[in-house]
Amino acid sequence: MKRLNIAFICIISLVLVSVAGAGTLDDVRARGYLKAGVNGDLFGFSKPDKNGEWKGLDVDAAKAVAAAVFGDATKVQFTTLTAVQRLPAVQSGEVDVLCRNTTVTLSRETKNALNFVHPNYYDGQGFLVSKKLGVKSAKDLDGATVCVLPGTTTEMNVADYFRGQGMDWKPVVIEKTAELAKAFFAGRCDVLTSDASQLAGARAIAQTPTDYEILPEIISKEPLAPVVKHGDDQWYDIVNWTIMAMIQAEEFGITSQNVDKMLKSKKPDIKRFLGVTPGMGAQLGLDNKWAYNIVKQVGNYGESFDRTVGPNTPLRLQRGLNALWTEGGLMYASPIR
C-alpha cells in the first residue's frame, strides 16, 4: 500500500508540474482564441464601429498576434478594461495580452511584474481646451479644473507639471475614458489632459471639433506598448516580434496588397521574413508563415497607422515619432534572422 501511495503521489506531482509548465501559447491554442484587453472607448485605437466591429491601432496589434498564432486574425476576444482594471487583468491571466494605450514605466515592469513589448505608438501628454477659454498655452492654466483618468501616468504627470510651474489646479477624476470626455465637453472641467493622441480622438468625435484645440505643450514621454505578464519568455517573444514584424514589413515595402507577390522575392532577408526560407517561425513555436499571415491579414505598421489614426482619418495625426527610423522616426525593428 505504501508503494502504491508513493506512485500515486509521483503521478499527481507530474501532472501538477505539467500544468504549471504549460505556457500561454499552449493555453491560447487550446482555447482556440486570444484574449486581449483594450480600452474600448478610444477612437482610433480600440473602439467598435457602428457595425460592432472592433477598429483601431491597438486592435490591429491584437489581431496581428492572433494571425501569428492561429493564421487567423479574427480569433480574438476583446475585453474592455478601465485604466484601473487593466494591469490586474494581465497579472491574473484574465487577458493574454493588454493592447490598451499603456505607457512603459519602470514600476510597471518591476513592481507590477509585467513585460512591455516594442512600443506600437510613441505619444506625449497634452491639454485639450475649448477655444472659448481663450487660452493659448498650458502656462495660462493656473487655477484650472482638469479632467484626468485615475491610476495613470497622466495623473502623476499633470500633478508634477502644475507643481513645477507653481500653479494651482483642481482635478476632476473619472475612471472611464468616454465618461471623462463627456464631462469635459459638458463643461465640468476647463481642461482635458491625456496623451495627445487620445485628445485628438476625443476631439474627433466632439459635436463641433473645431470648437476645441490642443495646446502646444507636450509635458511627457509616453511610449505606449502591448503588455504581457512576467514569467513566460516564449509568449513575450511572440508578442514582441509580432509588433516588430509589422514595422519590418513596412521597411521592406511589403503590404497586405503585394505580400503574395513578395513571396517570389530573391532577397534572402525577405524570404526568411515571409517563411519561404523556413526557420524563423519555428524558433517562436509558430508556423513559418507567421509574418506572412500578419501582413496578409492585418497589414504592415504604416497601413495600420494610416487607416486608424493617420492624416486621412478624423484624428488627422502625422507620423512624427512613429515614422520609420529611415524617415526620421523611432519605429525600428531588430533584425529577423
Side-chain angles (χ1 to χ4, degrees):
M1 179 63 77
K2 185 176 181 181
R3 184 174 297 174
L4 186 61
N5 286 341
I6 292 173
F8 178 75
I9 291 170
C10 290
I11 291 171
I12 293 298
S13 298
L14 286 172
V15 170
L16 290 175
V17 168
S18 176
V19 170
T24 307
L25 177 61
D26 292 335
D27 294 341
V28 171
R29 280 176 167 158
R31 187 190 310 125
Y33 61 89
L34 176 77
K35 296 190 296 186
V38 292
N39 184 304
D41 282 328
L42 190 55
F43 188 59
F45 284 80
S46 61
K47 187 177 176 65
D49 64 12
K50 61 182 179 181
N51 298 316
E53 185 176 353
W54 283 93
K55 301 285 187 180
L57 192 75
D58 285 339
V59 167
D60 281 355
K63 288 182 174 178
V65 175
V69 171
F70 295 109
D72 186 345
T74 68
K75 291 191 173 182
V76 188
Q77 179 188 79
F78 293 102
T79 299
T80 299
L81 299 167
T82 68
V84 174
Q85 294 169 333
R86 58 184 168 175
L87 301 186
V90 184
Q91 294 161 330
S92 68
E94 179 184 348
V95 297
D96 305 307
V97 60
L98 180 68
C99 300
R100 191 199 178 284
N101 56 295
T102 302
T103 302
V104 182
T105 72
L106 184 150
S107 296
R108 287 172 175 167
E109 284 215 326
T110 54
K111 185 172 66 176
N112 297 124
L114 301 171
N115 282 334
F116 287 85
V117 305
H118 193 292
N120 67 333
Y121 194 87
Y122 290 97
D123 214 332
Q125 184 174 340
F127 301 95
L128 180 67
V129 297
S130 168
K131 290 180 179 177
K132 293 179 180 177
L133 201 62
V135 171
K136 296 299 180 184
S137 167
K139 295 179 181 178
D140 299 330
L141 294 175
D142 188 19
T145 51
V146 181
C147 281
V148 62
L149 287 170
T152 62
T153 55
T154 305
E155 187 180 23
M156 294 182 281
N157 291 336
V158 71
D160 286 348
Y161 180 77
F162 274 81
R163 189 182 304 114
Q165 295 294 326
M167 299 190 304
D168 294 325
W169 68 297
K170 182 180 179 181
V172 177
V173 179
I174 299 174
E175 189 172 333
K176 293 185 177 180
T177 302
E179 296 303 317
L180 186 74
K182 286 180 182 177
F184 168 70
F185 292 122
R188 289 184 56 191
C189 53
D190 300 315
V191 187
L192 175 63
T193 186
S194 191
D195 296 343
S197 63
Q198 294 188 46
L199 299 180
R203 182 176 59 179
I205 57 176
Q207 190 169 7
T208 310
T210 53
D211 285 349
Y212 301 91
E213 64 179 331
I214 299 173
L215 299 178
E217 288 87 354
I218 297 295
I219 65 169
S220 69
K221 295 183 292 183
E222 305 292 338
L224 310 179
V227 190
V228 297
K229 65 180 177 181
H230 271 174
D232 190 337
D233 290 348
Q234 183 187 30
W235 186 243
Y236 168 84
D237 288 342
I238 289 170
V239 179
N240 186 44
W241 285 99
T242 290
I243 301 302
M244 287 203 280
M246 295 181 73
I247 298 167
Q248 183 61 68
E250 184 180 10
E251 186 178 335
F252 278 147
I254 305 173
T255 70
S256 56
Q257 301 302 308
N258 70 12
V259 65
D260 288 316
K261 182 179 179 181
M262 296 296 276
L263 288 171
K264 300 176 182 177
S265 172
K266 301 297 183 185
K267 295 182 178 179
D269 49 1
I270 292 180
K271 293 172 69 173
R272 278 195 302 272
F273 180 73
L274 294 177
V276 176
T277 302
M280 296 299 104
Q283 292 182 46
L284 290 168
L286 303 176
D287 188 274
N288 282 314
K289 293 290 188 182
W290 68 286
Y292 167 86
N293 290 328
I294 293 170
V295 180
K296 179 69 177 180
Q297 298 181 31
V298 183
N300 67 36
Y301 181 78
E303 289 180 283
S304 175
F305 186 98
D306 287 344
R307 69 169 170 259
T308 57
V309 300
N312 295 322
T313 70
L315 274 72
R316 305 192 305 273
L317 296 175
Q318 301 296 320
R319 288 292 293 268
L321 295 176
N322 296 291
L324 294 178
W325 67 286
T326 53
E327 298 173 4
L330 297 178
M331 285 298 169
Y332 180 106
S334 299
I336 298 177
R337 62 179 307 126

